[in-house]
Every structure is written in structure tokens, then in C-alpha cells.
Amino acid sequence: MDMCRIARKVALGLVASVAALLSGVTLSAAQEVVSGEPGSPSSTTTIDGKQLPPTPPKFGGVIKEDAKDSKPWWPPTVVPPKGAPNVLLIMTDDSGFGVPSTFGGVIPTPALDRVANAGLRYTQFHSTALCSPTRAALITGRNHHSVGFGQISEMATGFPGYNSIIGPDNATIGGILSDNGYATSWFGKNHNTPSFVYSAAGPFDQWPSGMGFQYFYGFMGGETDQWTPYLFRDHTPVYPWIGKKDYNLITDMADDAIRYMKELNASAPNKPFLLYYVPGATHDPHQPTKEWIDKIGAMHLFDQGWEKLREQIFANQKRLGVIPANTQLTPWPDELPKWDSLSLVQKKIVTREANVFAAYTAYVDNEIGRVIQAVDDMGKLDNTLIIYINGDNGTSSEGTMMGTPNWMAAANGVLELPEAEYLRYYESWGSDQTYPHMAVPWAWAFDTPFKWTKQVASHFGGTRQGMAISWPGHINDVGGIRNQFHHVIDIVPTILDAAGIQAPDMVDGIEQKPIEGVSMAYTFDKANANAPTKRATQYFEMFANRGIYHDGWYACTTPPAAPWLLGTKPLPPVEQYKWELYNIDEDFSQANDLAAKNPKKLKEMQALFLTEAANHQVLPLDNSVLPRILTPRPSGTAGRTEFTYTGENMGIPVGNAPSILNRDYTFTADITIPTAGTEGMIATMGGRFGGYGLYLLKGKPVFVYNLLNLKRYRWEGGVGAEDWLGSSLEPGKHTIVFDFKYVGPGLGKGGTGVLSVDGKVVSKQTVDHTIPFLMSLDESMDVGVDTRTPVDDSYTLPFQFTGNIDKLTVKIGREQL
């Protein structure tokens, strides 16, 4: 659909009315404006923007029988209104209010400081508490449920507010600005394409290109390994780390954005751009370069522990004026350990984790600074609106109480590890040998002065983001602070306001849902420094944790379970959640619950939440985790139990690959071996941090099951086989079968696997456990090759199969849950 739309736009020319074109009359600012000689190649026009794309004009020249008697005529090129700025929209990941130095944190963030010092800092700006919902709201200007993202796509369900589909009635800022003459691009994290349409089969209307972004360079899903990322350029998987010893996506992404801007400037220097820049930092895995780890480690920022860190951040925030002088530091929760309760070894481990997280923060800010400097070097900074949002939700507490060297293990319910496992990875923490996350108490501290963390929509620890905006010549209170209550849905109308472009009524013939945000441009004027907010009401909801803001009051539910339990604790029915009440005009940090003192006001706020919920597709409320993870979703392979592949196939996404979790399965590989010693990957999913691989190693068949990098089970020719001589397979045709019988019902149970060749059993082994929930988030299924990380260390990538895969069949049984 996206390519068709692009072609149609080129054909239409995106022009204004014929009368205006022929007369050359300049219309009002809200209507079409034509510049240059009508019909000439240099003629341009702005459009009123109500209908995108607009009705094509009639040919304005003259056509006779002979060309010499005819007059050519070109449709004018659409351009934004005069003075419309470039837009650099930046957002980092999983970073709370107390992380950056700009808002009192101890981690240096000079790029964010630069934007704040050249513009404004916003102290009451909010997210939705989770990754892709915030991003959907950011690019559409509508609440996350209104555009189908009440949850992350990996937990999508078949309700309008939760299906992870941004429909054609919700045009994004990319599509709107593109249709109005901007060059639009997207770099980094894309968590807004449904996970069930990641494949080469598309459809691509839900990819960045289909959402109006003309260029995309980034990764799909919520996270990726920064050393070997699940990376796409537009619709095509790319592998830029191959042959680059020191590759890291954080730098590569900045390099590509700078390259793109330079090429754009060389080709069309007057064309304004929207560059949407959203790196994966500081979402897990925390993987900065060693240079940054060493630099931050030498600063000894975290040696005094998490309680002292909170006190230091709190003092810095008051000194900077980013929290009111009467703000109270919310108490340290009883369920989190105090620093002095840790052993010296434990303190050493978690300090290392914090250093790596801080290095990741400083590293990504440094690379963002390079992108900003590139804009400056091109001489475009004076007309560039920069919006830099620190984090798409609060700091993540999903790393277990002591942190983890492999978050995939934590995601599968492994919340405790022996101390030796941490010491094993101490020096390599953050390298390509780890997929790490930090201890929960650090996350709480990095959300100072608030309670709670990422995932918790009811409290500001999950939703309060530091933000800075600069726009030279248009903000007359440089270095100022703004305290108005605003939300991520307010960014789109702010950009449109700055560009002089209105939100369309119709796009591709489809009536658009109203933009639900309000412009923040009124705050650019110093005279409005203390003006009342134009956002009177805003609801919040995630996992049935609820919040509602209205005219300085805030009511919210008490989270019944902590997010670091990762869904392992049963939750009460949503109607039994306790409610709290705060006057945040007087209580910035939600420290004093007034619910018992003012039950009337609480009831008013609860009723208002239900009204907002009904208006924005929030219902039905759902606090389930596991059922939503496991729910069937549409895809090109939905409902299939048998999959067949021939030859080499790489990059098959998880949603389109056969799932072998919690069920019986059988791999049958019909192969042809041309010469003795043939080897290579036949089929693999996942890699170093969990997955499987069926391959030949020096001609011998092997099946490896990697249990989350905690243990590897290995079936191979010559091990426990009565009929197998242990030599390589002879040249010719062979059939290799791996058959696994699952011992269910239940999640992550064991079973028995049998590896056979040409009907003869060569290895049989029983395992106690298997992966219960997630085998991979950022690796694909590959046939005939291995594209990212190896499932074990017996081979090196890409381990391309040197024989022929005539046919690979994978049969899966029903889930035994």
C-alpha cells in the first residue's frame, strides 16, 4: 500500500486549485500559496492540508496536434509554509526523570543540556508508562488506546484499543509532514509495527514507510542486541556489523542519520526535514562501548548505593529548580533492599550494573549530540525545532532484584541466579557476551523523586519524563523552565503549530480521527511561563493500573503487584484495586494520599476516568500478562502446524516461524551432501541467549537446545548411539530427523529428544526444562545460515550450509499449557 501511495503522490504532484495556479495569486496563510511562474519547473505551492493528498490539478498548459504549437506545464512542487522549521524529534528509551544531569541526575547528558540551555525544560511532561504505547501516541497525537496501542504489540489482543494497529484514520506526523513537502525519516527503534507483520510478506502499511516516513533505518520490536542488531533499511534486513570489530548500533545509527542529512542537504538544501531519532538506549540490553564503561566507572557515581543516590539526585533537582522547593522525597519501599543489607560482593556486582547503565545513557546522549552538531555544521540549527524527550517511560525495573546478565532468562521467569553467575560475567558486563539488565533498586532511584517505575501508569515514576525543546528565535525565555502539565500526545500538535500546518480532515479518502493532543507552543513565550496548562484532563492506563489528571488533581490506583515480578504474582480483579488521591499542584511527587480525607473528590475523579476510558477505547480493562503474551494473532502462518522450506531462507521473524515452545515438534531435513566434510547450519532460532540449532559439524549431525544461556543440551552423532559409527556422513542424499516429545501440560516442562539419520537413532536424551515464554525477541529463524549470534560456541558465523537443503519440514503439535 505504501509504495502505491508514494507513486500516486508523485503522479498527483500534490498541487493546489487550478484557479490559483493559473492566476499566480497568493492566498491566505490557511489556504494554498503559489510561488514562481505557474507551470514552470521551479514553481512551488503550499496546500491547505485538509485533504491529503489533494485533488490533482488539471493540466494548465496547451496541447495541440504539433508540439511546436503546444505549451508544457509542470504541476508545482508542494512545500511547507514559509519559515516552517526542520524538526529533530528525539526520544530515548526506559529512562526516568532522575536519570539525566539536565533534570538533576548524576549521569552527564551534555546534548540534552545543550537543548535545554538553548530553549526550555519541561518538568511535568508525561508518557504512557510503556514503550510502544508511548511511541504510538507520540507519532499520532492521539492517546495510545485510541490508536490500538493500549499495550505493546507482543501482547496485542483482538480489541480496538489493544490490537497494535494504527489504522488509516490515524495519520502520523510523518505522513502529514510528508504530504506537506517535508522529507521524513525514522532512525532507531520501531515498536509500532505489529509483531505479526515483520516478515518480507508485509503488508507494509504498518511499517514506517506506510506510516509516512520516507526512509527508515532501525530495528523492529521493543529491543535488540546493539552488537548484532535486528536491523532493517526500509523493508530489507541488513547486517552492517559484519567485518567491523568495534561495531555498535548506537554509533552506527548516528552515522547513518548524519549521512542521510548530508545527502538530503546536497540534493535539496531548502527542503525541510522531520528526523525522528529514537535509539534503543537505555532499554535492555545495556550495551555501551568499553570506552564509555571505563569513563563512567572512573567517576564513582554509585559507590554510596541507591538510597544515597536518591538523596543526591533530589538535592540536585531542587538546586536546578526542576522540582518545587516544597517537594517531598517519597519513601524508600519496604520491598526493596537497603544498600547496607548487601554483602561487599553484592555491592560490587550491582555497582558494576549501574556503571554500565550510566555509560549507556552517556554514550547515547553523546551520539545524539553528534546528530545535533551535524545540523549545526550544515547551518540549519537556527531554523530547527529540537524536541528531546528523555525516555518513553520510567526507568525499567524488569531486571530482577539483583540484575541479570541475560534478560531473556528473566523474561522467562528466572528471577534468581547464583552469585557465581554474576561474577562470571562481571568483567564482560555490557559486552556481546551478555544481554544485561540492572537491579531493581537502581530503577527506583533513577525515578527520583517519584514512586514506582516503568509499566506503572498510575504513578509518575512510570510516566514522568524530562523534556527539553529549543527553537532559536521562537523561544524568548532561553534556559527557562516550564511546569505546565502535558502529555506525549501534545507533541504532534506542537510540531504542526510550529510548521503552520493543520491536521488533515481526510487522508487517502478516509476521514481522520481528531488529534487529541494540544499544542505546547504557547509555552515558548516568556509571558506564558506561568500560564495555566492547556491540558485540563489526561487519563493513564496500563495493565489496569489507572490514573486520571484534572485541573491539578490526580487520582490513581495502587499497583497490586510490582512490575519486577514479571507477571508471576496473581492479581486481584480490576474492580478491587485500591485508589489514591493527590493534589499535585501542592504535592509534586505524589507523597500525600488524600483519598481518605476527600472521598467526594475521589469519586468525581473515578467517574471522570470511566468517561475518558469509554471515549478512548480503554475498555475492556485487562490486567492479565501471560494470556496476552500467548494469545493467537494473525500472521502469514497463523494456525499452521506444518512448515516447509527449501534452500537458504534467512530472517524469518518469530511471528512467522514455527513455535516449538511447550509442545511436541519434529524437524525433518532432507539434504544432499556433495563432498565429505560438508557442514553448516540447517535450521536455527535464537542464539547465544536462548534458542536451538540443527546443523552439521564436520559432516556430523548436531542438535543443540540453548536453555537461556544457563545450560545447553546437545544431541550429536556418535553419542549414545548403537548404530552410529561416529564418522562424517557420506556424500549423497540423507534424511536427518530431530523429534521431541514434550512432557506436559505446563510451561517450560521437559521432554525427550531423539536425533536420527536415515532412520537410525544416533542420540537420545531427556531434558528437565525448556524455554517457557520467549525464545527470542531480536533474532530470526534462519535456514541454511545463522545471521546473528551462535546458539553455541562450536561454530562461527555465518556458518552457511555447504551442501543442499532439498527440503526442511517442521511439524508442531498443540500447545500443552
Side-chain angles (χ1 to χ4, degrees), residues 642-691:
E642 183 171 328
F643 301 74
T644 302
Y645 310 93
T646 58
E648 185 177 288
N649 293 267
M650 62 183 185
I652 303 167
V654 173
N656 293 78
S659 172
I660 66 171
L661 300 179
N662 309 305
R663 68 182 81 209
D664 300 340
Y665 57 89
T666 303
F667 286 79
T668 303
D670 295 315
I671 62 173
T672 300
I673 296 180
T675 59
T678 292
E679 66 177 2
M681 184 60 66
I682 297 173
T684 181
M685 167 68 82
R688 178 175 291 123
F689 305 107

Short mmCIF file of all heavy atoms in Angstrom, two decimals, residues 642-691:
data_model
loop_
_atom_site.label_atom_id
_atom_site.label_comp_id
_atom_site.label_asym_id
_atom_site.label_seq_id
_atom_site.Cartn_x
_atom_site.Cartn_y
_atom_site.Cartn_z
N GLU A 642 2.41 -27.31 10.10
CA GLU A 642 3.49 -27.88 9.30
C GLU A 642 4.09 -26.78 8.43
O GLU A 642 3.37 -26.02 7.76
CB GLU A 642 2.98 -29.02 8.43
CG GLU A 642 4.08 -29.71 7.63
CD GLU A 642 3.61 -30.98 6.93
OE1 GLU A 642 2.71 -31.65 7.49
OE2 GLU A 642 4.12 -31.28 5.84
N PHE A 643 5.42 -26.69 8.45
CA PHE A 643 6.14 -25.65 7.73
C PHE A 643 7.19 -26.32 6.85
O PHE A 643 7.90 -27.23 7.30
CB PHE A 643 6.84 -24.69 8.71
CG PHE A 643 5.91 -24.00 9.66
CD1 PHE A 643 5.36 -24.68 10.74
CD2 PHE A 643 5.60 -22.66 9.49
CE1 PHE A 643 4.52 -24.04 11.64
CE2 PHE A 643 4.75 -22.01 10.38
CZ PHE A 643 4.21 -22.69 11.45
N THR A 644 7.32 -25.85 5.61
CA THR A 644 8.27 -26.45 4.68
C THR A 644 9.16 -25.37 4.07
O THR A 644 8.67 -24.30 3.67
CB THR A 644 7.54 -27.20 3.55
OG1 THR A 644 6.70 -28.20 4.13
CG2 THR A 644 8.54 -27.87 2.62
N TYR A 645 10.46 -25.64 4.03
CA TYR A 645 11.43 -24.70 3.48
C TYR A 645 12.37 -25.45 2.54
O TYR A 645 12.67 -26.64 2.75
CB TYR A 645 12.26 -24.05 4.59
CG TYR A 645 11.44 -23.47 5.72
CD1 TYR A 645 11.17 -24.23 6.86
CD2 TYR A 645 10.93 -22.19 5.65
CE1 TYR A 645 10.42 -23.71 7.90
CE2 TYR A 645 10.17 -21.65 6.68
CZ TYR A 645 9.91 -22.43 7.81
OH TYR A 645 9.16 -21.92 8.83
N THR A 646 12.86 -24.79 1.53
CA THR A 646 13.88 -25.35 0.64
C THR A 646 15.00 -24.34 0.47
O THR A 646 14.76 -23.12 0.43
CB THR A 646 13.31 -25.70 -0.75
OG1 THR A 646 12.75 -24.53 -1.34
CG2 THR A 646 12.23 -26.78 -0.64
N GLY A 647 16.22 -24.84 0.36
CA GLY A 647 17.35 -23.95 0.16
C GLY A 647 17.59 -23.06 1.36
O GLY A 647 17.24 -23.39 2.49
N GLU A 648 18.17 -21.90 1.10
CA GLU A 648 18.53 -20.97 2.16
C GLU A 648 17.42 -19.95 2.37
O GLU A 648 16.94 -19.32 1.43
CB GLU A 648 19.84 -20.26 1.81
CG GLU A 648 20.37 -19.35 2.90
CD GLU A 648 21.71 -18.73 2.54
OE1 GLU A 648 22.72 -19.48 2.53
OE2 GLU A 648 21.74 -17.52 2.23
N ASN A 649 16.98 -19.80 3.61
CA ASN A 649 15.98 -18.80 3.98
C ASN A 649 16.43 -18.16 5.29
O ASN A 649 16.52 -18.83 6.31
CB ASN A 649 14.61 -19.45 4.19
CG ASN A 649 14.00 -20.00 2.94
OD1 ASN A 649 13.25 -19.35 2.25
ND2 ASN A 649 14.34 -21.26 2.64
N MET A 650 16.72 -16.88 5.26
CA MET A 650 17.16 -16.23 6.50
C MET A 650 16.23 -15.06 6.83
O MET A 650 15.54 -14.52 5.97
CB MET A 650 18.59 -15.75 6.39
CG MET A 650 18.87 -14.71 5.33
SD MET A 650 20.64 -14.32 5.28
CE MET A 650 20.67 -13.00 4.06
N GLY A 651 16.21 -14.71 8.10
CA GLY A 651 15.44 -13.56 8.54
C GLY A 651 13.96 -13.81 8.69
O GLY A 651 13.16 -12.88 8.60
N ILE A 652 13.56 -15.07 8.95
CA ILE A 652 12.14 -15.35 9.18
C ILE A 652 11.80 -14.88 10.59
O ILE A 652 12.36 -15.39 11.57
CB ILE A 652 11.83 -16.85 9.03
CG1 ILE A 652 12.26 -17.35 7.65
CG2 ILE A 652 10.36 -17.13 9.27
CD1 ILE A 652 12.28 -18.86 7.53
N PRO A 653 10.91 -13.91 10.78
CA PRO A 653 10.65 -13.37 12.11
C PRO A 653 9.95 -14.38 13.00
O PRO A 653 9.32 -15.33 12.53
CB PRO A 653 9.77 -12.15 11.85
CG PRO A 653 9.12 -12.43 10.54
CD PRO A 653 10.10 -13.23 9.74
N VAL A 654 10.05 -14.17 14.31
CA VAL A 654 9.48 -15.09 15.29
C VAL A 654 8.01 -15.34 15.03
O VAL A 654 7.52 -16.47 15.10
CB VAL A 654 9.69 -14.54 16.72
CG1 VAL A 654 8.96 -15.40 17.74
CG2 VAL A 654 11.18 -14.48 17.05
N GLY A 655 7.26 -14.27 14.69
CA GLY A 655 5.83 -14.41 14.49
C GLY A 655 5.44 -15.25 13.30
O GLY A 655 4.28 -15.69 13.20
N ASN A 656 6.37 -15.47 12.36
CA ASN A 656 6.07 -16.26 11.17
C ASN A 656 6.81 -17.60 11.16
O ASN A 656 6.71 -18.35 10.19
CB ASN A 656 6.45 -15.47 9.90
CG ASN A 656 5.59 -14.25 9.71
OD1 ASN A 656 5.79 -13.24 10.38
ND2 ASN A 656 4.61 -14.33 8.82
N ALA A 657 7.51 -17.89 12.22
CA ALA A 657 8.27 -19.13 12.33
C ALA A 657 7.49 -20.13 13.18
O ALA A 657 6.65 -19.74 14.01
CB ALA A 657 9.64 -18.87 12.95
N PRO A 658 7.74 -21.42 13.01
CA PRO A 658 7.08 -22.41 13.87
C PRO A 658 7.54 -22.27 15.32
O PRO A 658 8.75 -22.23 15.59
CB PRO A 658 7.53 -23.74 13.27
CG PRO A 658 8.76 -23.45 12.49
CD PRO A 658 8.62 -22.05 12.01
N SER A 659 6.60 -22.18 16.24
CA SER A 659 6.93 -22.11 17.66
C SER A 659 7.04 -23.52 18.22
O SER A 659 6.10 -24.31 18.12
CB SER A 659 5.86 -21.34 18.43
OG SER A 659 6.10 -21.43 19.83
N ILE A 660 8.17 -23.83 18.84
CA ILE A 660 8.37 -25.16 19.43
C ILE A 660 8.19 -25.12 20.94
O ILE A 660 8.49 -26.10 21.63
CB ILE A 660 9.75 -25.73 19.06
CG1 ILE A 660 10.87 -24.90 19.70
CG2 ILE A 660 9.92 -25.80 17.54
CD1 ILE A 660 12.25 -25.54 19.56
N LEU A 661 7.68 -24.02 21.48
CA LEU A 661 7.54 -23.88 22.93
C LEU A 661 6.36 -24.71 23.44
O LEU A 661 5.26 -24.67 22.89
CB LEU A 661 7.34 -22.42 23.31
CG LEU A 661 8.46 -21.44 22.93
CD1 LEU A 661 8.09 -20.03 23.36
CD2 LEU A 661 9.78 -21.86 23.56
N ASN A 662 6.60 -25.47 24.51
CA ASN A 662 5.55 -26.16 25.25
C ASN A 662 4.74 -27.12 24.39
O ASN A 662 3.52 -27.20 24.50
CB ASN A 662 4.62 -25.14 25.93
CG ASN A 662 5.38 -24.11 26.73
OD1 ASN A 662 6.17 -24.45 27.61
ND2 ASN A 662 5.17 -22.83 26.42
N ARG A 663 5.41 -27.88 23.54
CA ARG A 663 4.71 -28.79 22.64
C ARG A 663 5.68 -29.81 22.04
O ARG A 663 6.90 -29.65 22.12
CB ARG A 663 4.04 -28.00 21.52
CG ARG A 663 5.02 -27.35 20.56
CD ARG A 663 4.30 -26.54 19.50
NE ARG A 663 3.90 -25.22 19.98
CZ ARG A 663 2.85 -24.55 19.52
NH1 ARG A 663 2.07 -25.07 18.59
NH2 ARG A 663 2.56 -23.35 19.98
N ASP A 664 5.11 -30.85 21.42
CA ASP A 664 5.90 -31.77 20.61
C ASP A 664 6.29 -31.08 19.30
O ASP A 664 5.58 -30.20 18.81
CB ASP A 664 5.08 -33.02 20.25
CG ASP A 664 4.62 -33.81 21.46
OD1 ASP A 664 5.20 -33.65 22.54
OD2 ASP A 664 3.66 -34.58 21.31
N TYR A 665 7.43 -31.50 18.73
CA TYR A 665 7.82 -30.98 17.42
C TYR A 665 8.79 -31.94 16.75
O TYR A 665 9.47 -32.74 17.42
CB TYR A 665 8.44 -29.59 17.53
CG TYR A 665 9.64 -29.48 18.43
CD1 TYR A 665 10.93 -29.69 17.94
CD2 TYR A 665 9.50 -29.15 19.78
CE1 TYR A 665 12.04 -29.58 18.76
CE2 TYR A 665 10.60 -29.05 20.62
CZ TYR A 665 11.87 -29.26 20.10
OH TYR A 665 12.97 -29.15 20.91
N THR A 666 8.84 -31.84 15.43
CA THR A 666 9.74 -32.69 14.65
C THR A 666 10.35 -31.89 13.51
O THR A 666 9.64 -31.24 12.73
CB THR A 666 8.98 -33.89 14.05
OG1 THR A 666 8.35 -34.63 15.10
CG2 THR A 666 9.94 -34.81 13.29
N PHE A 667 11.69 -31.92 13.43
CA PHE A 667 12.41 -31.36 12.30
C PHE A 667 12.84 -32.52 11.39
O PHE A 667 13.48 -33.46 11.87
CB PHE A 667 13.67 -30.61 12.76
CG PHE A 667 13.42 -29.29 13.41
CD1 PHE A 667 13.01 -29.22 14.74
CD2 PHE A 667 13.60 -28.10 12.71
CE1 PHE A 667 12.78 -28.01 15.36
CE2 PHE A 667 13.37 -26.89 13.32
CZ PHE A 667 12.96 -26.82 14.64
N THR A 668 12.51 -32.41 10.12
CA THR A 668 12.95 -33.41 9.15
C THR A 668 13.69 -32.70 8.02
O THR A 668 13.10 -31.89 7.29
CB THR A 668 11.76 -34.20 8.57
OG1 THR A 668 11.04 -34.82 9.64
CG2 THR A 668 12.25 -35.27 7.60
N ALA A 669 15.00 -32.97 7.91
CA ALA A 669 15.83 -32.30 6.91
C ALA A 669 16.29 -33.30 5.87
O ALA A 669 17.05 -34.22 6.18
CB ALA A 669 17.02 -31.64 7.58
N ASP A 670 15.81 -33.12 4.64
CA ASP A 670 16.29 -33.91 3.51
C ASP A 670 17.40 -33.10 2.85
O ASP A 670 17.14 -32.02 2.30
CB ASP A 670 15.16 -34.17 2.52
CG ASP A 670 14.07 -35.04 3.12
OD1 ASP A 670 14.40 -36.05 3.76
OD2 ASP A 670 12.88 -34.69 2.96
N ILE A 671 18.61 -33.64 2.92
CA ILE A 671 19.76 -32.88 2.45
C ILE A 671 20.58 -33.69 1.45
O ILE A 671 20.50 -34.92 1.41
CB ILE A 671 20.67 -32.46 3.62
CG1 ILE A 671 21.23 -33.68 4.34
CG2 ILE A 671 19.91 -31.55 4.59
CD1 ILE A 671 22.26 -33.35 5.40
N THR A 672 21.36 -32.98 0.66
CA THR A 672 22.32 -33.61 -0.24
C THR A 672 23.71 -33.13 0.13
O THR A 672 23.96 -31.91 0.20
CB THR A 672 22.02 -33.27 -1.71
OG1 THR A 672 20.71 -33.74 -2.04
CG2 THR A 672 23.03 -33.93 -2.63
N ILE A 673 24.59 -34.10 0.39
CA ILE A 673 25.97 -33.78 0.77
C ILE A 673 26.86 -33.99 -0.46
O ILE A 673 26.98 -35.12 -0.95
CB ILE A 673 26.43 -34.67 1.93
CG1 ILE A 673 25.58 -34.36 3.16
CG2 ILE A 673 27.91 -34.47 2.22
CD1 ILE A 673 25.94 -35.18 4.37
N PRO A 674 27.49 -32.93 -0.98
CA PRO A 674 28.27 -33.06 -2.20
C PRO A 674 29.64 -33.70 -1.97
O PRO A 674 30.15 -34.43 -2.82
CB PRO A 674 28.41 -31.62 -2.69
CG PRO A 674 28.27 -30.79 -1.46
CD PRO A 674 27.34 -31.52 -0.55
N THR A 675 30.26 -33.38 -0.84
CA THR A 675 31.61 -33.91 -0.56
C THR A 675 31.72 -34.24 0.92
O THR A 675 30.97 -33.73 1.75
CB THR A 675 32.69 -32.87 -0.92
OG1 THR A 675 32.46 -31.68 -0.16
CG2 THR A 675 32.68 -32.54 -2.39
N ALA A 676 32.68 -35.07 1.24
CA ALA A 676 32.92 -35.41 2.64
C ALA A 676 33.32 -34.15 3.42
O ALA A 676 34.02 -33.28 2.91
CB ALA A 676 34.02 -36.46 2.74
N GLY A 677 32.85 -34.11 4.66
CA GLY A 677 33.17 -32.96 5.49
C GLY A 677 32.23 -31.79 5.35
O GLY A 677 32.47 -30.71 5.89
N THR A 678 31.13 -31.95 4.62
CA THR A 678 30.11 -30.88 4.50
C THR A 678 29.64 -30.47 5.89
O THR A 678 29.44 -31.31 6.77
CB THR A 678 28.92 -31.39 3.66
OG1 THR A 678 29.35 -31.57 2.33
CG2 THR A 678 27.78 -30.38 3.68
N GLU A 679 29.44 -29.17 6.09
CA GLU A 679 28.93 -28.69 7.38
C GLU A 679 28.13 -27.42 7.18
O GLU A 679 28.04 -26.88 6.07
CB GLU A 679 30.07 -28.46 8.36
CG GLU A 679 31.03 -27.34 8.00
CD GLU A 679 32.09 -27.10 9.06
OE1 GLU A 679 32.10 -27.85 10.07
OE2 GLU A 679 32.90 -26.18 8.90
N GLY A 680 27.53 -26.95 8.27
CA GLY A 680 26.78 -25.70 8.24
C GLY A 680 25.43 -25.84 8.90
O GLY A 680 24.97 -26.93 9.25
N MET A 681 24.79 -24.69 9.09
CA MET A 681 23.50 -24.63 9.76
C MET A 681 22.39 -25.10 8.84
O MET A 681 22.30 -24.68 7.69
CB MET A 681 23.22 -23.19 10.22
CG MET A 681 21.95 -23.03 11.01
SD MET A 681 21.91 -24.00 12.53
CE MET A 681 23.22 -23.21 13.47
N ILE A 682 21.55 -25.96 9.37
CA ILE A 682 20.34 -26.39 8.65
C ILE A 682 19.16 -25.52 9.09
O ILE A 682 18.46 -24.95 8.26
CB ILE A 682 20.06 -27.89 8.90
CG1 ILE A 682 21.21 -28.73 8.33
CG2 ILE A 682 18.73 -28.29 8.25
CD1 ILE A 682 21.10 -30.20 8.66
N ALA A 683 18.96 -25.37 10.41
CA ALA A 683 17.87 -24.52 10.91
C ALA A 683 18.22 -24.03 12.30
O ALA A 683 18.75 -24.78 13.13
CB ALA A 683 16.56 -25.29 10.94
N THR A 684 17.94 -22.76 12.57
CA THR A 684 18.20 -22.20 13.89
C THR A 684 17.18 -21.12 14.20
O THR A 684 16.66 -20.44 13.30
CB THR A 684 19.62 -21.62 13.98
OG1 THR A 684 19.84 -21.11 15.30
CG2 THR A 684 19.83 -20.49 12.97
N MET A 685 16.92 -20.95 15.49
CA MET A 685 16.13 -19.83 16.00
C MET A 685 16.82 -19.36 17.28
O MET A 685 17.24 -20.17 18.10
CB MET A 685 14.70 -20.27 16.32
CG MET A 685 13.91 -19.25 17.16
SD MET A 685 13.52 -17.72 16.29
CE MET A 685 12.08 -18.27 15.37
N GLY A 686 16.93 -18.03 17.44
CA GLY A 686 17.61 -17.51 18.60
C GLY A 686 19.11 -17.58 18.43
O GLY A 686 19.64 -17.61 17.32
N GLY A 687 19.81 -17.63 19.58
CA GLY A 687 21.26 -17.63 19.51
C GLY A 687 21.89 -17.76 20.87
O GLY A 687 21.49 -18.60 21.67
N ARG A 688 22.84 -16.90 21.15
CA ARG A 688 23.66 -17.02 22.35
C ARG A 688 22.83 -17.00 23.64
O ARG A 688 23.19 -17.65 24.63
CB ARG A 688 24.68 -15.88 22.39
CG ARG A 688 25.56 -15.86 23.63
CD ARG A 688 26.62 -14.78 23.54
NE ARG A 688 27.61 -15.11 22.51
CZ ARG A 688 27.91 -14.32 21.48
NH1 ARG A 688 27.26 -13.17 21.32
NH2 ARG A 688 28.82 -14.67 20.61
N PHE A 689 21.73 -16.29 23.65
CA PHE A 689 20.99 -16.10 24.90
C PHE A 689 19.74 -16.97 24.99
O PHE A 689 18.93 -16.81 25.90
CB PHE A 689 20.65 -14.61 25.05
CG PHE A 689 21.88 -13.75 24.97
CD1 PHE A 689 22.13 -12.98 23.84
CD2 PHE A 689 22.82 -13.76 25.99
CE1 PHE A 689 23.28 -12.21 23.75
CE2 PHE A 689 23.97 -13.00 25.91
CZ PHE A 689 24.21 -12.22 24.78
N GLY A 690 19.60 -17.90 24.08
CA GLY A 690 18.49 -18.84 24.10
C GLY A 690 18.08 -19.20 22.69
O GLY A 690 18.00 -18.33 21.82
N GLY A 691 17.82 -20.51 22.44
CA GLY A 691 17.39 -20.90 21.11
C GLY A 691 17.79 -22.33 20.80
O GLY A 691 18.13 -23.12 21.69
#
